[in-house]
Amino acid sequence: MGSFTGGPAVSFTNFPKDNYPTSSTPFQSPSPSKPPGISLATLAKASDVLNSLFEKDAQMVPELRDTLASSSSAAYNIPPHRSWAPFYRPDGVEGFKSMPTGVFDEYDEVRPHCCMGLFPNIQRAWITLNNRLLLWDYTEGSLIATFEVQEDVILHVGLVKARPDVFIDEIKHLLVLSTAKSILLIGVADVPVSGPSPSGDAPRLEVKLYETGFIHAAKEMQSIVGTKDGRIFMCGVEDGYLYELIYQSSEGWFSKKLSLICHSSGGSITSLLPVTLSSWRIVPTTDDRVVSIIVDEERQYLYTLTQRPHISMFSLGLRGDSLLLRSTLKNIIADTNRIVPSDAFTIVGLHVIQKGARANDASDQPQLMAVTSTGARLYFSKQRYMMGMDPDTLQLTHVRLPPQSLRHPPADPVSAARVSSYLPPVTAVNGAPFHVKRIEGSCYASGVTLERQSPGEDPEKSDFIICISPDLATLSSLGSLPTPSYNQYSTYPSSSGGPRAILTEYAGVMTISGNAWDMCEVPSVPSSHKPPESLVAAVTNELATQFSRPQRKFLVITNMGLNLVVKRRAVDFLSASLVEADLGNQAALQDFFASFGRDQTCAMLFALASGNIFLSSESGQSATPVVANNAKGILFSQSGKPAFKEGIGYGGGDSNIVFSGRHAGFALYFARVIRPIWRTQITLGDKPSSLKSNVFEQTLVAVQKNLDSLRHFLVTNPHLFDSSQGEFTGNSRATAEQEAWKAENASAAGLKVLVSQTIEAISFVLLLQDYGLPQVAALCGDAIFRRLITLRYCDLITTKDGRDVARALVTAVINQQIAQQTSVDTISEVLQSRCGSFCSLDDAQESLRKATETSSPEERTKYLQESLRLFVDGARIMELQSLVDIVADYRRCFYATGAVFLPLRCAQEFDATNEGRDYWLMGCPPGDSDPRKQLYERRWACYGICVESLATFDEALNEALLKGQPGNNEETARTRAYQLAFESQDQAFHSFFYDWLISRGMTEELLEYRPAFLEAHLQRDPRTVEKLDFLWQYHVKTDAPLRAAKVLADMAESLDFELPLDKRIEYLTLAVNNAKSHSSAEVGRQETAVEFLTDLEEKLEVAQVQREVYHSLFAKLKNPQGQDSLRLRQLEKELLNISQLYNNYAEPYKLYVVKLLIFKVSDHRDTQLTQATWETVIAETVAEAVSEERMSHLSAAVSLLASKFFPSEAAFPLDDIALLLEKLALENRQELSPGWAPRTLTSGGVPPATVFDGFHNMYESQIPPFNTQEAIQFLSADIAILISDWLDEAIRPQSKTNRNEFPANMLDEVVNQYLRELGSERNDVRQLYESLRIRIRRHF
């Protein structure tokens, strides 16, 4: 490629590696440029705000023990609006899935031997039909797996965790089947077949069953439960004893692989004996049998419930390997009646209450709840037996009465699902409220209770489900006024002081389809392997989790199918209230503000306005535009403004300021979005080889998506925190209100920075996973590794230690990739695109300064490379002026990589979403209102800086050569700079770059180099003749002649360009030539290319006809006017088809010769039309000439037309033309020489043989007027002259006629024929024939 500035030639085929100037190369020291960085102090201050909010969230909902201070309670609230119903059943198949086909029918047949339940941990419902076990994959609708290896009727089924190291690794659970004769263990392997979604949905599981061979003779067992360590407990149906099934991988001296131990026998010895011994020796007592067992995995306790009812508490020990009876509570009914007199009841459900968030499992903390048949809930706590001892006695501490005056749900389950436990302030229409009674089952999880009520005597009726959940707004007293600051946030009720809140709940009832067998909550997907520092409260603070997990869902399986019950959250109430407000009903929205308070409401408004991914409507869609827009509007209009506390002047910091609801909502929403990760350790593992991310990827992605949508909302709504409201008015002292605005804006700005940094921190962790966290950690060294394994996300983002570890990890990633032959530029590009701001620009400036001061070329190269790497990492936060200064320094250092690559990288980072590029692709629409214009201008400014570097290196090289210097460093830098420019993958830059090169007159060099994106640039609108001319030449240079032909054809036919006809014909001619040069290897479909070439040749022929039409018409009209002028202009400016040429020009303007040309090109065959046209042509030709020259003029004209049209039968029918000419010759025989007609034709290039055939046929057929003797003799004379001329040409030396093709024998015969039929008076002709015969025989 030639020099870009007229200097020496430079090759761009083998680019040198970075080669930087030696110490002798003169350059100026770069001017200092310090782009703004990320202030850790700002991040730490914003982090303090979040940490304060985390503490307040942990204290918001009082502990369960604090709400159950009295011995009984019955506080229930009525939702004031239909849209606040806390539970609903979705419509359609989402809310109810029918029992798979065939199961229901078989259920009716074997109902006495059928039971069913739910195993949510493996996403299966189980159904037993006699000896068959069916596992229904309810996530897939009708998919059922069947197990029927054994022959006995299955009576009870349990799912427990499998002990490790007994089965293969895939088996994580065991199915325990109990029949009247035996207990059978089946291995269960559940494998995820799809990854969890960021929206919180669990992956679908594929379940495989394995026969284990473990089967033990035993009587019927029920209530089969397991511990987290794999122990299995159950109780006998007949004897009511507590049993443990013990299994191991192999038999020992004193133990079998499978044994059944009875823990209810009378002595310690028999408790260790197998059931086959102990059950025969001890006579069972049947008056108080164990009927239910549950396990408390957190506290390592096991509870049993007997018929009387008695509750026994067993300790499993710290390691979970023992079973010690701690206490038995026997006076449950009496204690209950002493607290609240009630009807007779039984306990139908026993549930563990998980530990509280703040209580260290204190003695009075409820840990067990029993649901009675009357719907009451009994709470049990541990009590100390003696002072100073650990509490080990279970006591009834509170009775929670059932809700009263519930409204009857509709009989139709679908209608019931729609009203979804709505509680109006009045009773049912019939005046009879719904009474809670006949409770037969229950489900409890994190404060939510579901109770199943039997419909009574009629088994055909469906069951009722009583749904109970905490009223968080009332429990937390959220309707109170906001407190001054985050350091003095709202004081929520707690055990440490202040008024105690009474447990207040929402309650409702709904009808389900069928009679329920089992109920459970759908397990939530954990966010991390190791949970965060803060624990979940027994009554879950759903306000703190509603932005980071989906709605809670509960499953109810009946004989009809599977029902789904969904719990609404506060934000769902708000979304529905916004919809009502949009319809004109403001009451719900006003009540929401009153119930939940300004700050909590604003936090939920931020979630709705920014599009939190966990906020889906009941139709499955995210928040509608109406809801989002209304939420945004309320944030602007009803969130208040910051102010100083009353009685305190301005100053004194944020502690004296009450921030607005916007700020409080922003901070609170931000804190709750990052709650799953903020105080969570980043990694898990104690050595590099086993290191992995502690937080699951789907959690990180979900948090990042929500933060990114929040950032987008803040960017697109900059006036939400308008700094102009806090500007000074010019007074010497700002007002308190202005100071408050200024403080709020500064605090919000810090939070915004923290949002962006958290997004990049997540990207950084995901990047480490992509590159292999164990491998990267191994390269960091032991010191960094030890710091890494204790690092939390909050530390990584806001502390210097976190940034130091991050920098070490970045270095490890770079070293890892360099070792894998990846360039530094490529690594930097990845780091910048994922987490660029984690590298400091200050370090980059320091490296650049060192590069200017060192005298060592090696050190200079190292420092320049390091500075570029750091600048690239921080490109996203770099100011444009800083970029100008930095690139200027790189130019002075002759560091071409930095001077070209850095502005190109900044162009992409400044326009990271490519909105500016899209603005350019759309042709830069006029006007200043388009927000993309600014991004476009910043991007184009970077391109300008880049090409300015190229121009600078050009000038430096030329200047060195003019001074007689070698210019080695200048040439190296220039070559490298152009290499980077041409290798860029930024299409927009290439377009800018090509225009810049073309403006410098370097089109030939561009064609020679054939750079990337040149073709796309030339094809991009607006199309011009110059660009397309360049494009087809580019295709020729790249050995793509067919593409060149297509471009040329497009140019020739396009009406977008004002091209003369001759230019269009030239383009078509070039197109034909290029198409002929095409090889089948170029495209692979030669047939298509042939068709294209044929089409081009036809168009070229028509275009040439058009040119003939133009010239003929122009000559005929001489001075065209009006319509004639327009017709001529049309011929000149566009290509017409053959029909247009004939109908619009040849026919109306009587262009007869043009007609013949059209007949030839189109191969149009119309004998009469063609003959008439020739007659007219001949007549007009004769009429145009002077009388004495008319026949010679006609001969010349016909000869010319013959040369143009022969051998086209459509335009030059030889027989007809020969007859016309011979007639004229006969009529004018007095003035014409013999042989005029045949000689006219042969002079036009018609072969003598063809002419002879025509005249001989005329002679033989005796077509009038050649049917008289005189005319025949005249015709014979012309034939004789024709044969004579033909013979002369055949025997002439160097003749074009091949002697072998001369038909001597045939002519000898016809000459004899002509002689016989020649009249006696034509002696001259006879002599000619005889002479011809002699000559023919002599020469042939």
Side-chain angles (χ1 to χ4, degrees):
M1 182 173 176
S3 169
F4 286 95
T5 56
V10 179
S11 171
F12 283 92
T13 55
N14 296 307
F15 295 105
K17 296 181 179 180
D18 285 348
N19 189 9
Y20 309 108
T22 62
S23 58
S24 61
T25 303
F27 61 89
Q28 300 178 1
S29 298
S31 59
S33 173
K34 186 175 181 180
I38 298 297
S39 170
L40 290 179
T42 300
L43 296 176
K45 186 175 181 180
S47 177
D48 289 341
V49 174
L50 300 184
N51 290 330
S52 175
L53 291 173
F54 290 138
E55 296 300 325
K56 305 313 174 188
D57 271 349
Q59 298 174 10
M60 178 183 295
V61 179
E63 287 286 350
L64 181 60
R65 64 174 180 179
D66 296 329
T67 66
L68 303 177
S70 60
S71 59
S72 65
S73 64
Y76 293 91
N77 266 348
I78 297 174
H81 303 280
R82 182 177 295 271
S83 57
W84 290 22
F87 293 91
Y88 73 95
R89 196 181 82 173
D91 292 336
V93 294
E94 183 183 359
F96 177 75
K97 295 182 180 179
S98 298
M99 194 74 71
T101 305
V103 175
F104 185 77
D105 297 335
E106 193 169 351
Y107 165 80
D108 287 337
E109 297 176 4
V110 299
R111 185 177 299 182
H113 304 292
C114 172
C115 53
M116 60 186 71
L118 293 165
F119 293 145
N121 290 334
I122 60 172
Q123 299 175 355
R124 297 297 187 271
W126 61 270
I127 306 166
T128 63
L129 299 173
N130 291 330
N131 67 319
R132 297 169 57 205
L133 173 66
L134 309 181
L135 291 181
W136 174 21
D137 182 1
Y138 49 76
T139 62
E140 285 296 302
S142 60
L143 188 61
I144 286 187
T146 303
F147 181 84
E148 50 182 333
V149 173
Q150 55 86 41
E151 299 179 351
D152 298 323
V153 174
I154 300 173
L155 301 176
H156 300 277
V157 182
L159 180 73
V160 299
K161 290 184 179 179
R163 290 181 56 189
D165 303 325
V166 176
F167 307 103
I168 60 175
D169 293 340
E170 288 78 4
I171 295 179
K172 303 297 183 183
H173 294 88
L174 293 175
L175 280 173
V176 184
L177 308 185
S178 172
T179 71
K181 299 179 181 179
S182 62
I183 298 175
L184 176 67
L185 298 185
I186 303 172
V188 180
D190 50 291
V191 181
V193 295
S194 63
S197 68
S199 60
D201 295 330
R204 192 176 71 83
L205 300 178
E206 179 181 349
V207 172
K208 297 180 180 179
L209 302 182
Y210 294 87
E211 290 190 56
T212 64
F214 286 107
I215 185 170
H216 194 285
K219 297 180 181 179
E220 179 182 354
M221 298 288 176
Q222 65 180 351
S223 191
I224 302 169
V225 298
T227 69
K228 59 184 178 181
D229 301 314
R231 298 177 70 182
I232 305 174
F233 295 94
M234 60 195 73
C235 58
V237 173
E238 180 180 343
D239 56 24
Y241 286 171
L242 172 64
Y243 293 94
E244 181 177 0
L245 185 67
I246 299 176
Y247 60 95
Q248 55 191 16
S249 57
S250 59
E251 294 187 357
W253 286 101
F254 302 102
S255 62
K256 296 182 179 180
K257 290 181 62 177
L258 184 65
S259 57
L260 189 63
I261 305 298
C262 177
H263 292 290
S264 297
S265 298
S268 59
I269 298 178
T270 55
S271 67
L272 301 177
L273 296 176
V275 68
T276 53
L277 297 178
S278 63
S279 61
W280 303 135
R281 294 184 178 181
I282 304 299
V283 178
T285 60
T286 60
D287 57 340
D288 189 26
R289 296 192 299 268
V290 175
V291 293
S292 179
I293 308 171
I294 61 169
V295 175
D296 184 349
E297 294 187 348
E298 281 187 303
R299 302 178 182 89
Q300 293 283 41
Y301 280 100
L302 179 143
Y303 303 93
T304 63
L305 174 67
T306 67
Q307 287 177 317
R308 287 188 176 183
H310 295 169
I311 297 177
S312 296
M313 180 175 68
F314 296 83
S315 172
L316 298 175
L318 294 177
R319 295 184 299 178
D321 57 355
S322 62
L323 186 70
L324 299 176
L325 177 63
R326 288 295 188 186
S327 68
T328 299
L329 183 59
K330 299 182 178 180
N331 300 319
I332 297 175
I333 296 178
D335 291 344
T336 302
N337 287 323
R338 184 168 52 252
I339 296 173
V340 178
S342 59
D343 298 333
F345 65 86
T346 59
I347 295 178
V348 298
L350 206 59
H351 306 282
V352 171
I353 300 175
Q354 61 193 122
K355 289 182 179 181
R358 300 182 297 277
N360 187 19
D361 202 22
S363 61
D364 56 350
Q365 178 68 24
Q367 64 186 50
L368 191 66
M369 183 187 75
V371 178
T372 71
S373 58
T374 61
R377 284 170 284 166
L378 312 180
Y379 291 87
F380 301 91
S381 303
K382 289 191 299 181
Q383 302 293 329
R384 286 182 176 87
Y385 182 72
M386 294 179 62
M387 294 298 296
M389 298 180 60
D390 290 337
D392 56 2
T393 302
L394 200 64
Q395 294 293 333
L396 173 64
T397 56
H398 188 88
V399 177
R400 179 76 172 164
L401 297 177
Q404 303 296 319
S405 301
L406 297 181
R407 183 188 181 187
H408 274 279
D412 178 15
V414 176
S415 301
R418 292 197 181 103
V419 299
S420 53
S421 70
Y422 163 59
L423 291 176
V426 295
T427 58
V429 176
N430 59 13
F434 181 91
H435 293 293
V436 178
K437 55 185 178 180
R438 295 191 302 275
I439 301 301
E440 296 184 353
S442 61
C443 166
Y444 173 83
S446 300
V448 174
T449 304
L450 300 185
E451 298 177 355
R452 176 175 66 87
Q453 178 166 320
S454 168
E457 301 297 332
D458 188 356
E460 299 300 325
K461 292 184 178 180
S462 295
D463 288 350
F464 300 104
I465 302 295
I466 293 90
C467 305
I468 304 172
S469 66
D471 179 358
L472 295 181
T474 302
L475 281 173
S476 305
S477 302
L478 295 177
S480 59
L481 295 176
T483 50
S485 70
Y486 291 106
N487 294 326
Q488 298 174 356
Y489 210 75
S490 303
T491 302
Y492 301 110
S494 68
S495 60
S496 60
R500 291 196 173 193
I502 299 175
L503 179 59
T504 307
E505 295 174 304
Y506 285 127
V509 59
M510 66 171 60
T511 305
I512 58 172
S513 300
N515 304 121
W517 282 80
D518 195 7
M519 299 182 292
C520 69
E521 183 177 15
V522 177
S524 60
V525 179
S527 61
S528 58
H529 294 282
K530 185 178 180 181
E533 293 177 357
S534 60
L535 299 175
V536 180
V539 179
T540 301
N541 181 5
E542 199 171 51
L543 295 175
T545 61
Q546 61 183 340
F547 306 136
S548 57
R549 62 178 62 171
Q551 294 172 315
R552 294 175 66 182
K553 300 175 181 178
F554 296 83
L555 300 175
V556 182
I557 187 170
T558 71
N559 57 331
M560 301 293 291
L562 191 67
N563 298 262
L564 177 66
V565 178
V566 182
K567 184 185 181 301
R568 289 190 179 96
R569 304 157 297 184
V571 70
D572 301 318
F573 299 166
L574 178 58
S575 178
S577 299
L578 289 172
V579 174
E580 290 191 26
D582 188 68
L583 298 175
N585 179 15
Q586 298 290 332
L589 186 59
Q590 293 170 359
D591 288 344
F592 192 91
F593 263 92
S595 298
F596 288 91
R598 184 196 66 179
D599 294 352
Q600 297 292 333
T601 302
C602 286
M604 290 180 251
L605 289 172
F606 265 96
L608 293 169
S610 62
N612 186 285
I613 64 174
F614 294 103
L615 306 187
S616 60
S617 66
E618 295 172 20
S619 62
Q621 300 176 348
S622 58
T624 63
V626 171
V627 171
N629 290 333
N630 288 347
K632 182 173 71 173
I634 295 174
L635 281 174
F636 276 99
S637 63
Q638 300 184 32
S639 56
K641 60 183 180 180
F644 279 89
K645 294 168 59 177
E646 292 187 17
I648 299 179
Y650 57 86
D654 293 352
S655 60
N656 292 324
I657 300 173
V658 179
F659 288 138
S660 70
R662 286 188 300 278
H663 184 282
F666 170 31
L668 195 53
Y669 175 64
F670 179 21
R672 289 171 175 175
V673 166
I674 64 173
R675 182 177 180 272
I677 70 169
W678 188 248
R679 293 180 176 179
T680 306
Q681 288 186 349
I682 298 174
T683 60
L684 187 67
D686 56 358
K687 52 185 179 181
S689 61
S690 62
L691 200 65
K692 62 182 178 180
S693 173
N694 179 35
V695 181
F696 294 123
E697 182 176 349
Q698 68 269 16
T699 303
L700 293 174
V701 172
V703 173
Q704 189 178 52
K705 282 187 175 182
N706 283 328
L707 290 179
D708 196 55
S709 63
L710 173 61
R711 179 172 63 177
H712 178 76
F713 175 72
L714 294 171
V715 169
T716 54
N717 295 277
H719 298 298
L720 199 62
F721 299 101
D722 191 353
S723 60
S724 65
Q725 301 180 71
E727 293 179 355
F728 297 101
T729 59
N731 299 330
S732 59
R733 186 180 179 87
T735 65
E737 182 178 353
Q738 289 171 332
E739 285 292 321
W741 275 111
K742 184 177 180 180
E744 173 161 304
N745 293 336
S747 178
L751 289 171
K752 290 178 183 178
V753 174
L754 187 56
V755 169
S756 297
Q757 288 296 290
T758 307
I759 293 173
E760 292 203 17
I762 294 173
S763 294
F764 181 59
V765 174
L766 293 174
L767 180 140
L768 293 177
Q769 294 185 58
D770 292 342
Y771 282 116
L773 191 55
Q775 294 80 4
V776 174
L779 296 173
C780 290
D782 186 67
I784 293 295
F785 175 74
R786 293 300 165 193
R787 294 161 68 184
L788 172 62
I789 59 178
T790 61
L791 201 65
R792 301 173 302 173
Y793 278 89
C794 56
D795 304 324
L796 172 68
I797 299 168
T798 63
T799 67
K800 183 179 183 300
D801 184 65
R803 295 300 172 131
D804 291 342
V805 172
R807 189 175 294 109
L809 291 170
V810 169
T811 302
V813 168
I814 293 175
N815 293 336
Q816 177 200 49
Q817 296 303 301
I818 289 176
Q820 297 177 5
Q821 307 301 317
T822 305
S823 69
V824 175
D825 291 345
T826 301
I827 305 169
S828 298
E829 180 180 357
V830 174
L831 290 172
Q832 170 57 31
S833 64
R834 302 281 290 272
C835 45
S837 64
F838 269 68
C839 298
S840 171
L841 295 181
D842 295 339
D843 293 343
Q845 290 289 354
E846 181 65 17
S847 296
L848 184 56
R849 184 188 63 79
K850 291 179 180 179
T852 65
E853 295 176 352
T854 182
S855 59
S856 169
E858 292 77 11
E859 288 189 358
R860 181 178 303 158
T861 299
K862 181 183 72 173
Y863 287 134
L864 286 171
Q865 289 178 332
E866 178 66 13
S867 69
L868 176 60
R869 181 181 67 80
L870 296 174
F871 279 134
V872 165
D873 291 339
R876 183 173 298 175
I877 60 173
M878 189 179 295
E879 296 292 336
L880 191 60
Q881 184 57 49
S882 299
L883 175 63
V884 172
D885 297 338
I886 293 168
V887 171
D889 293 339
Y890 281 146
R891 293 174 193 152
R892 282 189 284 269
C893 294
F894 292 101
Y895 184 37
T897 303
V900 173
F901 180 79
L902 183 58
L904 290 180
R905 169 58 59 196
C906 287
Q908 295 183 357
E909 292 305 321
F910 291 170
D911 184 26
T913 59
N914 287 323
E915 294 180 57
R917 184 201 62 185
D918 295 341
Y919 177 79
W920 165 72
L921 288 172
M922 293 179 63
C924 300
D928 297 328
S929 60
D930 195 327
R932 299 175 300 174
K933 183 178 181 181
Q934 184 177 3
L935 296 173
Y936 157 77
E937 291 173 347
R938 283 173 61 83
R939 188 168 189 147
W940 251 242
C942 294
Y943 295 159
I945 295 171
C946 179
V947 298
E948 185 179 348
S949 297
L950 299 177
T952 300
F953 292 136
D954 284 339
E955 294 168 2
L957 178 59
N958 287 339
E959 184 178 350
L961 295 178
L962 289 175
K963 292 180 180 179
Q965 299 174 353
N968 293 333
N969 291 322
E970 291 82 354
E971 183 174 357
T972 298
R974 175 180 174 276
T975 303
R976 175 64 173 164
Y978 276 100
Q979 173 199 11
L980 291 171
F982 277 116
E983 289 181 347
S984 170
Q985 297 302 307
D986 186 346
Q987 182 179 358
F989 167 71
H990 275 272
S991 186
F992 183 95
F993 182 37
Y994 300 152
D995 286 338
W996 180 77
L997 291 176
I998 293 172
S999 68
R1000 294 164 67 89
M1002 300 166 64
T1003 56
E1004 291 298 326
E1005 289 84 350
L1006 269 177
L1007 284 175
E1008 185 67 28
Y1009 184 63
R1010 308 173 194 174
F1013 302 112
L1014 178 57
E1015 180 179 356
H1017 171 69
L1018 297 175
Q1019 291 175 336
R1020 185 177 178 271
D1021 291 334
R1023 302 194 314 164
T1024 64
V1025 175
E1026 293 75 15
K1027 288 170 67 175
L1028 293 180
D1029 253 332
F1030 205 166
L1031 180 60
W1032 77 261
Q1033 294 177 63
Y1034 168 81
H1035 286 317
V1036 171
K1037 286 286 187 180
T1038 55
D1039 296 325
L1042 188 60
R1043 295 183 180 179
K1046 291 181 179 179
V1047 175
L1048 286 163
D1050 183 41
M1051 293 173 66
E1053 298 181 65
S1054 176
L1055 299 179
D1056 297 336
F1057 313 123
E1058 291 286 337
L1059 295 176
L1061 179 60
D1062 287 340
K1063 194 67 176 177
R1064 295 180 186 275
I1065 293 176
E1066 178 187 345
Y1067 285 144
L1068 280 175
T1069 304
L1070 290 170
V1072 169
N1073 293 337
N1074 278 283
K1076 289 180 178 178
S1077 303
H1078 163 73
S1079 64
S1080 60
E1082 180 183 343
V1083 175
R1085 293 190 61 185
Q1086 185 67 11
E1087 298 82 358
T1088 303
V1090 170
E1091 292 176 2
F1092 176 63
L1093 173 60
T1094 302
D1095 183 60
L1096 279 180
E1097 290 175 331
E1098 291 175 354
K1099 289 179 178 178
L1100 178 58
E1101 283 186 314
V1102 174
Q1104 290 168 339
V1105 171
Q1106 182 170 333
R1107 179 166 55 186
E1108 187 72 24
V1109 171
Y1110 176 80
H1111 290 304
S1112 299
L1113 186 59
F1114 188 81
K1116 184 172 185 176
L1117 296 177
K1118 301 186 183 307
N1119 186 23
Q1121 299 292 330
Q1123 186 68 25
D1124 294 338
S1125 177
L1126 294 176
R1127 289 283 180 84
L1128 273 174
R1129 179 172 176 79
Q1130 186 183 21
L1131 284 172
E1132 176 68 10
K1133 298 302 181 183
E1134 64 177 286
L1135 295 179
L1136 305 177
N1137 59 44
I1138 200 71
S1139 297
Q1140 290 174 310
L1141 293 175
Y1142 185 85
N1143 295 327
N1144 298 341
Y1145 294 94
E1147 180 64 29
Y1149 289 102
K1150 303 185 183 307
L1151 304 177
Y1152 295 103
V1153 175
V1154 170
K1155 284 186 177 183
L1156 295 175
L1157 181 58
I1158 291 174
F1159 295 160
K1160 176 187 176 183
V1161 171
S1162 63
D1163 197 29
H1164 179 75
R1165 298 174 184 266
D1166 188 332
T1167 303
Q1168 294 182 354
L1169 180 60
T1170 305
Q1171 184 174 355
T1173 303
W1174 268 105
E1175 290 174 354
T1176 305
V1177 169
I1178 291 173
E1180 287 186 349
T1181 303
V1182 172
E1184 291 173 357
V1186 183
S1187 58
E1188 58 271 13
E1189 299 177 355
R1190 58 191 181 88
M1191 299 308 291
S1192 60
H1193 180 69
L1194 175 61
S1195 177
V1198 174
S1199 178
L1200 178 62
L1201 293 177
S1203 64
K1204 292 177 63 176
F1205 299 145
F1206 183 82
S1208 171
E1209 284 295 325
F1212 199 85
L1214 181 62
D1215 291 345
D1216 295 337
I1217 296 172
L1219 180 60
L1220 290 173
L1221 293 178
E1222 191 65 15
K1223 284 182 180 180
L1224 285 173
L1226 179 62
E1227 294 170 357
N1228 299 278
R1229 57 182 176 276
Q1230 302 300 328
E1231 57 181 287
L1232 293 176
S1233 59
W1236 176 85
R1239 283 176 173 171
T1240 296
L1241 295 172
T1242 56
S1243 65
V1246 182
T1250 306
V1251 177
F1252 171 77
D1253 290 339
F1255 276 80
H1256 182 69
N1257 291 337
M1258 196 187 311
Y1259 179 88
E1260 291 288 342
S1261 60
Q1262 296 186 3
I1263 300 173
F1266 298 103
N1267 56 352
T1268 65
Q1269 188 61 28
E1270 180 182 2
I1272 290 175
Q1273 298 302 317
F1274 179 82
L1275 177 59
S1276 179
D1278 279 354
I1279 292 174
I1281 294 174
L1282 171 62
I1283 296 174
S1284 177
D1285 293 344
W1286 189 7
L1287 179 61
D1288 290 343
E1289 178 63 23
I1291 64 177
R1292 182 176 61 82
Q1294 299 180 346
S1295 173
K1296 295 181 180 181
T1297 303
N1298 190 342
R1299 288 175 59 90
N1300 296 330
E1301 295 177 356
F1302 187 78
N1305 293 333
M1306 183 271 293
L1307 291 177
D1308 184 68
E1309 294 178 2
V1310 297
V1311 166
N1312 290 332
Q1313 176 186 350
Y1314 293 146
L1315 283 173
R1316 289 194 301 270
E1317 298 173 358
L1318 187 65
S1320 58
E1321 68 279 5
R1322 300 301 301 267
N1323 291 328
D1324 54 338
V1325 178
R1326 183 179 297 278
Q1327 292 176 1
L1328 180 57
Y1329 275 131
E1330 290 175 349
S1331 171
L1332 287 171
R1333 184 169 58 185
I1334 293 171
R1335 293 171 62 197
I1336 290 171
R1337 293 175 179 177
R1338 180 189 305 139
H1339 291 285
F1340 296 95

